[in-house]
Amino acid sequence: ACSLLRSPKGFPKLKNDTFLRAARGEQTEHTPVWCMRQAGRYLPEFRETRASQDFFATCRSPKLCCELTLQPLRRFPLDAAIIFSDILVVPQALGMEIVMVPGKGPMFTEPLKEVEDLLKLRQKVDVTAELGYVFQAITLTRHSLEGKVPLIGFSGAPWTLMSYMIEGGGSTTMAKAKSWLYRHPEASHRLLRLLADVIIDYLVGQVAAGAQALQLFESHAGHLGPELFQDFALPYIQNIAQAVKSKLKEEALPLVPMIIFAKDAHYALRDLAHAGYEVVGLDWTIRPQEARAQIGKDVTLQGNLDPCALYAPKEKIGELVKKMLESFGTQRYIANLGHGLYPDMNPEHVGAFVEAVHAHSRHINKH
């Protein structure tokens, strides 16, 4: 139950640290598993909790975020929880207004059109003032989890957030945002730097609030080719890992494992392996063996079952999971989907996925 806020200190003792051990490259008895968007619309209880509230109002309610984060854990023996929130809370913190349009998704009321529009953004963001509601949700959820599993915090990466801020919503080409990279490279770097600085403080604040791991979502990496990624995404991804770690040290906070998930960025796997993250997340379009060959043995891999595989019959899901585990190996590996769960998925199939990971990885480890 997500009731009263207690102090961030004195969190309950962690009972299942399999996910954290795998992230750090330690031996595990079974392969840990969690799902992107595990707190989502595929769960009837999620739809019920969310029904009466505006989406971003839900994000701003620590109590509701806590409840939504815990729902999947009541159903499935997942090895990690991820705080219910949204990557677009960062552009909101910079002063941009976003509405959730039913059937369409998030829309910015005034996207960035000209370079001058950058002046409208807050140049200095006090993350506690602007995003303190996320920190409260994390602290509350960490207590409410009662040490069952670790809690993951997250943020969108600079390029992905920039693309939303210019496109004003989803886009199949990201042409408006990419045109900035070609026409206004300096202004693009100014915006990316501003975003990175906010993200660094935001992630450190999440650890201070109780997050035990952090994931950075570069969801729109696939719209960039190797050169644009090298110029406009990778330097900020590297800088965020480095700056978060040095600030955690300075503030005597735990050095939590960090995960980078750059969707469709096969071309950058070698670079991502050296970007300062303990874990590299993979989408479903790459072969596990190829990813392992490029990333090497010193980084944990996370992924990468095609989310649509969960539409298959349960036996088939089991077979696909077994094959995935054999390809990745059961160690230095966290099982997940290659992207988030879709709203029309059957919760029982999600359960079958989670259970298959545990059963097959235990079996492989024994033999």
Side-chain angles (χ1 to χ4, degrees):
C2 305
S3 55
L4 74 174
L5 271 176
R6 302 182 197 79
S7 79
K9 303 288 167 279
F11 286 127
K13 189 172 170 346
L14 186 57
K15 296 171 193 148
N16 170 5
D17 66 348
T18 314
F19 163 80
L20 295 178
R21 288 214 313 275
R24 292 191 295 254
E26 297 164 18
Q27 284 285 112
T28 59
E29 279 122 65
H30 68 266
T31 296
V33 55
W34 66 280
C35 299
M36 289 185 266
R37 292 210 200 110
Q38 63 190 28
R41 287 175 292 173
Y42 74 102
L43 289 176
E45 58 269 37
F46 177 97
R47 295 196 296 271
E48 210 172 296
T49 307
R50 277 271 302 105
S52 57
Q53 279 272 17
D54 164 71
F55 178 81
F56 287 108
T58 305
C59 289
R60 284 189 286 273
S61 159
K63 228 172 136 169
L64 286 176
C65 289
C66 173
E67 167 58 26
L68 294 170
T69 303
L70 294 184
Q71 283 176 350
L73 295 156
R74 296 190 190 119
R75 278 189 185 243
F76 316 117
L78 294 152
D79 293 289
I82 183 164
I83 194 67
F84 176 80
S85 186
D86 195 89
I87 63 171
L88 298 181
V89 299
V90 170
Q92 285 179 329
L94 289 167
M96 294 190 82
E97 195 185 320
I98 307 163
V99 289
M100 199 48 96
V101 181
K104 264 194 138 166
M107 305 297 274
F108 285 70
T109 52
E110 289 180 45
L112 304 174
K113 289 197 171 74
E114 306 302 330
V115 169
E116 298 76 63
D117 293 342
L118 294 181
L119 299 171
K120 297 181 193 165
L121 300 174
R122 276 192 193 102
Q123 302 303 307
K124 269 270 165 263
V125 175
D126 174 346
V127 291
T128 310
E130 299 301 329
L131 295 165
Y133 59 88
V134 179
F135 302 155
Q136 288 172 5
I138 286 172
T139 302
L140 179 56
T141 306
R142 176 83 190 268
H143 281 295
S144 305
L145 275 166
E146 296 173 335
K148 195 173 177 176
V149 293
L151 179 60
I152 304 169
F154 70 89
S155 173
W159 154 250
T160 294
L161 296 178
M162 169 182 172
S163 62
Y164 272 115
M165 291 160 76
I166 295 171
E167 297 289 342
S171 155
T172 51
T173 59
M174 299 292 157
K176 288 180 191 161
K178 284 178 73 177
S179 83
W180 273 54
L181 304 181
Y182 285 109
R183 291 185 310 151
H184 314 302
E186 277 151 31
S188 296
H189 280 299
R190 276 212 312 276
L191 174 54
L192 292 162
R193 181 72 260 158
L194 175 63
L195 284 161
D197 289 340
V198 176
I199 291 162
I200 290 161
D201 289 344
Y202 181 42
L203 291 173
V204 171
Q206 291 186 46
V207 176
Q212 289 152 291
L214 298 168
Q215 177 154 313
L216 191 68
F217 283 87
E218 190 70 280
S219 312
H220 296 168
H223 292 279
L224 303 176
E227 306 209 328
L228 289 179
F229 188 85
Q230 201 74 39
D231 287 348
F232 295 100
L234 187 65
Y236 299 98
I237 288 170
Q238 289 168 325
N239 170 245
I240 287 167
Q242 187 201 336
V244 166
K245 287 175 180 184
S246 73
K247 285 197 175 198
L248 291 175
K249 273 197 188 116
E250 269 166 43
E251 298 180 29
L253 288 164
L255 278 175
V256 303
M258 294 178 72
I259 307 165
I260 175 67
F261 175 64
K263 190 170 177 293
D264 297 323
H266 316 144
Y267 56 79
L269 287 182
R270 279 177 208 279
D271 290 325
L272 291 169
H274 302 291
Y277 293 77
E278 285 69 26
V279 184
V280 172
L282 303 167
D283 62 71
W284 69 93
T285 61
I286 184 143
R287 289 191 175 87
Q289 295 93 331
E290 279 176 32
R292 185 65 82 186
Q294 289 191 50
I295 286 170
K297 301 257 186 292
D298 302 328
V299 177
T300 295
L301 298 181
Q302 174 177 282
N304 74 339
L305 191 72
D306 181 354
C308 291
L310 297 190
Y311 294 122
K314 290 186 198 172
E315 306 70 65
K316 178 72 175 162
I317 294 171
E319 286 165 33
L320 292 167
V321 165
K322 181 170 180 274
K323 194 176 159 200
M324 179 171 84
L325 285 160
E326 285 164 353
S327 302
F328 277 109
T330 57
Q331 301 298 324
R332 259 214 181 275
Y333 172 53
I334 296 161
N336 205 317
L337 303 172
H339 202 214
L341 287 160
Y342 302 145
D344 63 347
M345 285 179 167
N346 181 343
E348 284 180 25
H349 288 221
V350 178
F353 168 65
V354 173
E355 278 151 35
V357 170
H358 287 164
H360 288 298
S361 62
R362 281 202 174 95
H363 185 261
I364 294 169
N365 285 342
K366 272 206 188 89
H367 300 89

